[in-house]
């Protein structure tokens, strides 16, 4: 019985329970609704919730835990000698899963019967060809131990699946019967069902917390793993980044941090003045008509995915900067550079800075402007000497948020900044950032447990800490600023 | 009140006319005009950036929707395809795509009988290289589906190879062909002849939207089919999870949560989660969903889960804003007639907030659709040629995603993929535009002012 | 010094400072001010009274073109300041507002120090050549604003930290620092408590010796206390304009009488 079917059955039981519960409550008072504590629908709801919620929770928990359980059992069945040169336990396990699926398919299509499967042995017959004939291609010949593991895997999965189906459906039925038995005219069905619904609401609002916990836990856990293989001191203070496949890598974060900060700096130098001036113009000068055209146009920029900016950097801005600035000035020949990534990221940040500053500038009370105009100040004097100083904390907050965005941005730098980790001042030189290296270390072919891969988690943790710090600071400043005028 | 009187200095006789503008005011007005001009310049730069961005993508990508095809009449030679003449499908299937390639060369030979067609020094075998490597595969699929056609002459509309296609799109020139080992000037000359003769034409490229990805040396056969389907699957997962969870969480936080430190933590947590770099969510997905829970790599379900966690804060923030916009008088009215708090929320507040929630959800989905970085980490960069199965099993099959496909193509050597990548961006932007348009229409249609 | 209700005070004839002829103001489609003719005298406190929405504040804001900052507002007719049309194309509203200062309903000190608040006007208009001169201007303005003694020890403290009455007097000091010829006050006491109100009213009476003051007020008692001339506005029309004493004791128009006796308002 597949998991989807089990869930459907549970929902069917719960739905049936709803109607039975509803009619049962009605028959308990001979159709005189006024004698019921709650509306009949609520009696139905209590049955529905009792039948569905615990059963589904168990089912999802089971689905998450079952693979972990089975995997740990099967892994022990594969001896280290069965793992081929250049392969890993993970790859063998992937084979096991694939063979198991193949065997299922073979039985489903009739190419194999259960009895034949029981007798199947890798030494005697060509399992690869057999599975190939049902459309499951394998990379290599199947070893006997792997085949046995696959068969066990298949059996365990099937047994656990059936067990789950039985337990979940029984739980659902049990819940339905229990809550049906509680239906009496003075049963407070609405209160019970509302309490249950409220519990679900609370459960949903914890998802955000769980996500944060998940992020922190996974980063900390793997980072600790990394620091056992590679000294933390070298990671934090080494000036070279030079991963080697064969081991003996230098994995210093400083060149990456430098690249990250340099690109972000260029982006902010570009985005902050433009974004701020756009916000000032739109909120202080523009006529309604201009605003109604320009504002949405700039918001479009905000809605464009970063991959588009990345491509723009790669195919347009990069070559343009190389051909018209870097090469004539003799500053470099690379189309991916700090400048390329910085300018494109700056474009991405313009709407971010301008819409945040717009909010902040609009929060400055009109009375301030009136006061200034009443004294004979021009608009620009009012903006520069009254509005901006008044809005300064909010603008600082906006810039910090933009900086945090810039530091965490990935696609633009992956496609625009380059991959060479160096400490250089020339902005037309290709440099690399923390996010670029997270991508390249985690999408590479190196073994997961090697420091070259695990360093990505340490980089991720650094990134998380820096951006979180900036955000908390920025949100605090902005909130303080708002309180001032409320 | 003595301050005012003991300062009796006579007022300066400043009888200046209003109409004569003095020097200082002129300077101040010039500064005003300059400042105003800075604002205009900033807006112009922003708009130009937008135009440059969209223009460069359209300019590079629109050609991806047109493709060069060569129509050829091919004689399906039984001597090659069905040697014993038995018509046995299994035997026919044994002939690999390599067995079909000579048939194309044969039909070029036939074409060369026409005196207007043919270039000095270009053999039919070399001419056959002008057809995409996908061509023989296409023929093989056709023959396996229609074995009775063996022995007949069938007209095929083959994809031209990437270089020939590039020649008609201006990417390849006679000069560049001299240096290119994948194409010769003779082939290009022949292509011109075929175009004049009518068997080579450029037409709308439906395959770009429906085909699976093509390998490194077949840019002409690369399409977005798997990527679009994969993105669609992920959006289904995101929608099915974020909407109920997001709305439930918002209702709790906005309507029921007591004001205490736990609620404060949840709120601070959500606003910070919204600003966590997307790549960190990728790391989360890799270590929790793939390494810990053992879900398959490259699967839409994992992508969907990661994007769900990313979108959740956006949706919660939007939903809370629209719940907040429903005036308290509505709640008071419901409570006043004896409804429970829960009834007031579900019967009155939620329906009134629904348009806002929906708009927020669509915008959140649009954001998720364009997200790339986290998907790279959960293995969606893999080269996937197979279409995922129908849901729910399909959620666990390997698939690509639109934005990741773009990234994937930019990493390949053949310049023809740049056009493909830009074309894919156009498709992505069309989807985003449609989603945002729906959101705007919903907002206009149902917007309520209290 | 402070002569309480000056109902009986005789008003000698003075120069005309502002004269308005056939002024019309439109807010988009709404005709807010209709055909207003008025002559405001120099060195006099003129009060504009009338029920809410009668247009008195709108008219006041026309006198230094503050309405320019509102897109949809349109002014027709002539307003002359010392014989010059302030709505002439060649007139720079910035120069005009330096001559016609304004104090608002709610005290609105800038989020700067007390010193910088007062120095703001002189600085932008370039009235001081050096720091010493600026110090002198600031002190003089604060003295005229009758707040010098309260703040002289803390000129660097933020202006927003003062009490409401002090803030309003600071705003008055800020307005007089640019040496205006006319001072417009838009319900300057409506956000203040009675004690602060009394202080501000006392100050207004002193300002009369130097400036032409125009004050919009809700309170008829206040108009009677501080003004020599009173104009009564109703539904966008200037109904009656006369010496304050006459308006309150012997109104000619029956609408004025109804308002003063509390029947409309």
């Amino acid at each position: 019985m597949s998991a989807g079917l089990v869930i459907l059955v549970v929902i069917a039981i719960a739905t049936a329970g709803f109607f039975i519960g509803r009619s049962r409550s009605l028959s308990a008072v001979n159709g005189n609704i006024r004698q019921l504590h709650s509306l009949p629908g609520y009696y139905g709801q209590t049955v529905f919730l009792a039948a569905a919620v615990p059963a589904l929770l168990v089912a999802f928990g089971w689905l998450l835990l079952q693979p972990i359980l089975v995997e740990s059992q099967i892994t022990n069945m594969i001896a280290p000698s069965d793992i081929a040169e250049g392969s890993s336990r993970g790859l063998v396990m992937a084979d096991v899963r694939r063979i198991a699926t193949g065997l299922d398919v073979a039985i489903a299509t009739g190419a194999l019967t259960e009895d034949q499967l029981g007798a199947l042995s890798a030494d005697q017959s060509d399992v690869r060809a057999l599975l190939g004939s049902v459309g499951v291609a394998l990379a290599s010949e199947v070893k006997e131990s792997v085949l046995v593991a696959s068969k066990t895997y298949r059996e365990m999965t099937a047994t656990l699946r059936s067990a789950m189906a039985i337990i979940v459906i029984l739980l659902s039925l049990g819940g339905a019967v229990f809550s049906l038995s509680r239906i009496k005219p003075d049963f407070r069905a609405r209160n019970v069902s509302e309490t249950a619904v409220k519990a679900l609401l609370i459960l949903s609002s914890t998802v955000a917390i769980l996500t944060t916990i998940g992020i922190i836990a996974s980063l900390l856990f793997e980072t600790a793993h990394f620091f056992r293989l590679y000294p933390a001191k070298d990671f934090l203070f080494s000036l070279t980044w030079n991963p080697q496949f064969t081991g003996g890598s230098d994995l210093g974060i400083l060149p990456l941090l430098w690249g990250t900060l340099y690109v972000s700096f260029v982006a902010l130098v570009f985005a902050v003045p433009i974004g701020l001036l756009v916000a000032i113009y739109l909120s202080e000068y523009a006529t309604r008509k201009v605003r109604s055209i320009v504002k949405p146009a700039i918001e479009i920029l905000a809605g464009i995915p970063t991959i588009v900016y990345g491509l723009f950097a790669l195919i347009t801005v990069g070559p343009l900067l190389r051909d018209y600035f870097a090469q004539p000035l003799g500053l470099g020949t690379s189309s991916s550079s700090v400048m390329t990534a910085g300018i494109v990221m700056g474009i991405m940040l313009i709407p971010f800075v301008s819409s945040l500053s717009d909010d902040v500038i609009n929060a400055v009370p009109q009375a301030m402007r009136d006061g200034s105009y009443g004294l004979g100040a021009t608009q620009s004097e009012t903006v520069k000497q009254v509005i901006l100083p008044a809005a300064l904390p909010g603008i600082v907050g906006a810039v910090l948020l933009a900086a945090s965005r810039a530091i965490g941005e990935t696609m633009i730098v992956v496609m625009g900044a380059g991959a060479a980790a160096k400490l250089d001042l020339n902005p037309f030189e290709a440099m690399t950032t923390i996010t670029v290296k997270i991508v390249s270390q985690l999408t590479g072919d190196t073994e997961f447990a090697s420091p070259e891969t695990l360093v990505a988690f340490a980089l991720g943790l650094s990134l998380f800490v820096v951006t979180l710090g900036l955000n908390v600071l920025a949100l605090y400043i902005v909130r303080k600023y708002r309180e001032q005028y409320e | 009140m003595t301050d005012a009187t003991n300062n009796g200095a006579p007022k300066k006789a400043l009888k200046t006319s209003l109409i004569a503008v003095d020097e200082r005011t002129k300077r101040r007005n010039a500064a005003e005009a300059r400042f105003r001009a800075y604002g205009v310049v900033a807006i112009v730069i922003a708009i130009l950036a937008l135009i440059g961005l969209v223009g460069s993508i359209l300019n590079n990508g629109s050609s991806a929707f047109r493709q060069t095809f060569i129509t050829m009449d091919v004689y399906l030679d039984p001597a090659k395809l069905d040697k014993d003449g038995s018509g046995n499908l299994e035997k026919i299937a044994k002939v690999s795509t390599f067995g079909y390639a000579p048939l194309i060369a044969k039909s070029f030979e036939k074409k060369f009988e026409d005196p207007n067609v043919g270039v000095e020094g270009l053999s039919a075998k070399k001419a056959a290289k002008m057809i995409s490597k996908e061509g023989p595969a296409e023929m093989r699929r056709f023959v396996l589906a229609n074995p009775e056609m063996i022995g007949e002459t069938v007209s095929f509309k083959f994809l031209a190879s990437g270089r020939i296609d590039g020649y008609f799109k201006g990417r390849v020139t006679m000069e560049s062909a001299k240096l290119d080992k994948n194409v010769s000037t003779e082939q290009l000359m022949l292509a011109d002849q075929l175009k004049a003769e009518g068997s080579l034409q450029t037409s709308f490229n439906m395959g770009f939207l429906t085909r699976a990805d093509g390998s490194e040396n077949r840019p002409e056969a690369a399409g977005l089919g798997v990527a679009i389907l994969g993105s669609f699957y992920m959006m289904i997962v995101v929608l099915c999870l974020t909407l109920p969870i997001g709305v439930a969480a918002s209702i709790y936080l906005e309507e029921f949560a007591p004001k205490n430190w736990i609620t404060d933590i949840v709120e601070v947590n959500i606003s910070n989660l919204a600003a966590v770099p997307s790549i960190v969510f990728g790391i989360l997905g890799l270590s929790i969903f793939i390494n810990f829970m053992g879900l398959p790599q490259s699967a839409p379900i994992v992508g969907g889960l990661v994007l769900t966690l990313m979108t959740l804060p956006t949706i919660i923030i939007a939903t809370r804003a629209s719940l907040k916009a429903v005036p308290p008088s509505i709640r008071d009215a419901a409570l006043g007639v004896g409804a429970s708090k829960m009834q007031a929320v579900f019967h009155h507040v939620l329906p009134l907030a629904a348009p806002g929630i929906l708009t927020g959800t669509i915008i959140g989905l649009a954001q998720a659709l364009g997200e790339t970085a986290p998907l790279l980490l959960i293995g969606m960069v893999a080269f996937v040629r197979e279409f995922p199965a129908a849901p729910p099993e399909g959620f666990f099959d390997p698939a690509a995603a639109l934005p990741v496909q773009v990234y994937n193509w930019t990493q390949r050597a053949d310049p023809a993929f740049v056009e493909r990548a830009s074309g894919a961006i156009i498709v992505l932007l069309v989807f985003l535009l449609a989603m945002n348009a729906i959101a705007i229409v919903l907002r206009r249609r149902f917007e309520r002012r209290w | 010094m402070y002569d309480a209700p000056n109902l009986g005070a005789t008003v000698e004839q003075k120069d005309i400072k502002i004269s308005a002829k056939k002024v019309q103001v439109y807010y988009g489609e709404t005709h807010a001010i209709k055909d207003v003719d008025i002559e405001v005298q120099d060195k006099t406190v003129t009060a504009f009274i009338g029920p809410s929405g009668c247009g008195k504040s709108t008219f006041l804001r026309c006198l230094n073109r503050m309405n320019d900052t509102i897109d949809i507002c349109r002014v027709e007719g002539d307003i002359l300041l010392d014989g010059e049309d302030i709505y002439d194309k060649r007139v720079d509203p910035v120069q005009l507002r330096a001559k016609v200062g304004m104090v608002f309903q709610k005290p609105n000190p800038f989020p700067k120090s007390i010193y910088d608040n007062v120095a703001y006007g002189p600085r932008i208009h370039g009235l001081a050549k050096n720091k010493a001169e600026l110090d002198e201007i600031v002190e003089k303005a604060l003295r005229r604003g009758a707040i010098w003694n309260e703040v002289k020890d803390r000129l660097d403290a933020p202006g927003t930290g003062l009490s409401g009455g002090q803030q309003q007097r600071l705003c008055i000091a800020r307005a007089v620092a640019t040496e205006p010829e006319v001072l417009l006050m838009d319900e300057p006491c409506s956000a203040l408590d009675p004690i602060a109100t009394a202080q501000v009213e006392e100050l207004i009476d002193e300002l009369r010796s130097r400036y032409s003051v125009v004050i919009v007020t809700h309170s008829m008692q206040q108009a009677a206390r501080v003004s020599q001339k009173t104009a009564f506005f109703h539904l966008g029309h200037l109904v009656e304009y006369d010496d304050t004493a006459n308006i309150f004791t012997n109104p000619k128009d029956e609408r004025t009488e109804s308002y003063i006796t509390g029947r409309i308002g």
Side-chain angles (χ1 to χ4, degrees), chain B residues 1 16-18 24 28-29, chain C residues 84 92 99 124-125 202:
Chain B
M1 286 295 139
T16 49
S17 164
L18 271 177
R24 185 177 172 84
R28 287 171 61 198
N29 283 341
Chain C
E84 288 176 317
D92 195 316
K99 286 188 171 195
I124 56 174
H125 294 294
E202 198 177 338

Side-chain angles (χ1 to χ4, degrees), chain B residues 209-213 223-239 297-308 365 368-371 375 378-382 384-405 427-428 431:
Chain B
L209 296 177
T210 54
R211 279 172 189 276
D213 191 8
L224 286 170
V226 176
I228 291 176
L229 199 61
S231 276
F232 179 66
Y233 281 7
M234 283 196 287
M235 289 307 109
I236 293 180
V237 174
V238 174
L239 184 63
Q297 286 213 341
S298 317
I301 183 83
V302 181
L305 284 171
V306 169
L307 294 179
T308 297
L365 278 185
L369 181 62
E371 197 52 66
L375 302 183
I378 55 164
M380 305 228 38
V381 263
V384 181
R385 277 225 52 143
E386 302 289 322
F387 279 85
E393 286 80 17
F395 290 142
F396 294 85
D397 289 344
L402 260 179
V404 184
Q405 189 73 66
V427 174
L428 179 65
F431 281 128

Side-chain angles (χ1 to χ4, degrees), chain B residues 11 22 32 54 141 287 330 428:
Chain B
K11 202 173 101 180
D22 62 37
E32 171 73 20
V54 175
R141 277 198 295 277
S287 57
I330 302 276
L428 179 65

Side-chain angles (χ1 to χ4, degrees), chain A residues 138-151:
Chain A
L138 291 176
S140 58
E141 286 303 328
V142 179
K143 286 197 180 125
E144 177 61 25
S145 61
V146 174
L147 182 67
V148 172
S150 307
K151 284 196 217 167

Side-chain angles (χ1 to χ4, degrees), chain A residues 45-83:
Chain A
Q45 267 182 33
T46 57
V47 182
F48 183 92
L49 289 169
V53 174
L56 289 182
L57 284 181
V58 168
F60 286 126
W62 194 296
L63 285 177
L64 289 181
L65 292 178
Q66 178 177 317
I68 301 168
L69 190 76
V70 174
E71 208 104 328
S72 67
Q73 290 290 317
I74 301 293
T75 314
N76 297 333
M77 293 179 64
I78 298 169
S81 59
D82 295 330
I83 300 169

